[in-house]
Every structure is written in structure tokens, then in C-alpha cells.
Amino acid sequence: QVQRRPFDIHSSKINSHPPIVVTNNFGDASASPHVKLMRITFQNMFPALNVATVKLRNCRRVVLFNFIRRDAAEEGTNPNGQSLEDEEVELRHYAIRANPVGIDKKVRRLIQAKIPNLSKLEDISDYIT
């Protein structure tokens, strides 16, 4: 599957801060032991974020671990005597980009530090108007 707007994470400073880790469908305390172990392992792969002290500008990545469990179409057991189940973990890595919306294109360029050539203008207000 091809992304609509691919993002090169190696060319930016996005890797300088740990991602937000999201574990989906891993259950709660009543989940089976191997599912609990997977959830704890995935959570401990990245440093914990302190919500009280984290800066919003540093939250630029999200890692999603999605646990998918499908029941086997046929009844039976595997060679170890366990019932057949198809379980998989889907991993997705997202980059978060914030773009200013609802403002003039010229002002947006200034905010994004794309400095235009102002040599022929008297004042910056000449550029904006």
C-alpha cells in the first residue's frame, strides 16, 4: 500500500523524542498471560511519557500496536494440543505534522520560517497586503 503523502523520518528531527505508544485490543487484567506479556513488552520498548511534564511540540510520533485475534475456520488442535487461533500484532508508525490552517498563504510562509525575498519592499506590511 502506497502512502498519499510519505514522510521521511530520517531527514527531520522527529526521532529525537520518543513516540506515544498505543496498544489496542490487548485486553485488561483478565487477558491471557501471553497477551499481557506482549502488551508489557511493547509498552517497555519505549520510555514512559510523563503527561504532566511532556511538551506538546515534542509529541511528533505515534506507534500503534493493534492485536488482532481471528478464530480458526476449522475446529481442531495444533501439534501441541492447543486449540487453533490466528493471532497477529499489527504495527503502525505515524508522524504527526501540524500545519497552520485558515490564515493567508503569505503569513503561513512566515510562520513556517520560509523567509521570502523582501529586498524590494519598504516594509513587511507591503508583503502581507
Side-chain angles (χ1 to χ4, degrees):
Q1 186 177 21
V2 178
Q3 295 179 353
R4 271 189 276 168
R5 284 175 248 140
F7 184 71
D8 185 14
I9 63 171
H10 301 295
S11 66
S12 64
K13 296 180 182 178
I14 199 166
N15 282 333
S16 61
H17 299 286
I20 298 169
V21 178
V22 178
T23 54
N24 186 35
N25 293 333
F26 281 88
D28 54 2
S30 63
S32 59
H34 75 283
V35 174
K36 283 185 202 176
L37 180 63
M38 283 193 298
R39 179 177 45 85
I40 292 168
T41 303
F42 292 144
Q43 287 175 340
N44 290 327
M45 285 173 63
F46 302 96
L49 296 176
N50 186 351
V51 178
T53 61
V54 71
K55 294 180 181 170
L56 188 58
R57 69 171 182 250
N58 295 339
C59 298
R60 294 290 179 219
R61 293 188 298 153
V62 175
V63 175
L64 170 67
F65 295 98
N66 186 25
F67 183 65
I68 301 170
R69 179 181 294 136
R70 296 182 194 94
D71 292 330
E74 60 187 43
E75 295 293 326
T77 59
N78 64 10
N80 296 332
Q82 299 169 338
S83 62
L84 289 176
E85 270 189 5
D86 184 19
E87 297 177 339
E88 63 184 55
V89 176
E90 181 179 66
L91 167 73
R92 293 191 176 216
H93 190 193
Y94 296 97
I96 301 171
R97 290 184 281 184
N99 293 326
V101 178
I103 58 175
D104 190 44
K105 187 176 183 180
K106 294 178 180 180
V107 176
R108 187 180 315 136
R109 283 186 188 148
L110 289 175
I111 292 172
Q112 293 176 342
K114 295 178 181 174
I115 308 299
N117 184 3
L118 302 174
S119 63
K120 296 179 182 176
L121 302 175
E122 297 282 328
D123 190 28
I124 187 130
S125 62
D126 295 336
Y127 173 75
I128 294 175
T129 56

